[in-house]
Amino acid sequence: MQFNGKTTGNDIQMEVRRPADPTNGFRLETFIDRYALWSQQAIGPGQRTEGVLRHIEKEVQEVRENPDDLEEWIDLINLAIDGATRRGFSSKDIIKGLLDKFMKLQDRKFNQVSEDQPCEHIRGE
């Protein structure tokens, strides 16, 4: 996805062009920055933590009802990005956090549980 932002006073207009391969040239950092900018303009300013969390709860239910719909999973990702950026985390902070957390996860051992139970890491090892 390519973004071309145009600023006019307090209004931010973004033209989104969808290339044949939207992953070609995609940069997560740019996406997060543009998403945060769009959210502030479209939804309004402020941290909105409780509102974002309630929206995530609503989207979790939608995933439960239709787990094969990728768009519902994407809603969760976008809301997590929105919540993090509204709390002041930059795109670089978020990307570093993703990578750091993945490194931790790779080093952990996990209990084997039934498919409908949370699979948490074994603590104390």
Side-chain angles (χ1 to χ4, degrees):
M1 207 174 280
Q2 296 174 336
F3 297 93
N4 294 319
K6 301 173 187 172
T7 305
T8 312
N10 290 334
D11 294 331
I12 296 170
Q13 300 172 343
M14 284 188 282
E15 175 186 318
V16 179
R17 291 180 288 156
R18 298 183 196 282
D21 179 1
T23 63
N24 184 22
F26 177 82
R27 290 184 37 94
L28 183 57
E29 183 177 349
T30 302
F31 173 79
I32 292 169
D33 290 340
R34 295 294 185 173
Y35 190 91
L37 188 64
W38 168 83
S39 180
Q40 291 287 323
Q41 183 66 30
I43 298 165
Q47 293 182 328
R48 302 185 47 80
T49 304
E50 190 58 33
V52 171
L53 290 173
R54 287 181 183 183
H55 197 163
I56 287 172
E57 290 169 349
K58 177 183 167 283
E59 295 297 337
V60 166
Q61 185 56 41
E62 291 180 16
V63 169
R64 280 191 175 109
E65 293 168 5
N66 197 356
D68 294 325
D69 186 344
L70 177 59
E71 190 169 338
E72 298 302 343
W73 291 101
I74 299 302
D75 286 341
L76 292 173
I77 295 167
N78 285 339
L79 284 165
I81 289 170
D82 192 38
T85 57
R86 286 177 177 277
R87 295 303 300 188
F89 294 102
S90 71
S91 55
K92 288 185 188 301
D93 295 332
I94 294 167
I95 292 167
K96 183 178 180 319
L98 282 167
L99 295 171
D100 288 349
K101 186 63 176 192
F102 183 57
M103 296 303 290
K104 277 185 176 178
L105 289 172
Q106 290 183 101
D107 291 336
R108 291 179 171 168
K109 294 182 181 169
F110 292 83
N111 288 312
Q112 296 298 311
V113 296
S114 66
E115 189 174 316
D116 63 343
Q117 295 300 313
C119 184
E120 297 189 41
H121 68 92
I122 300 170
R123 301 197 188 275
E125 284 193 19

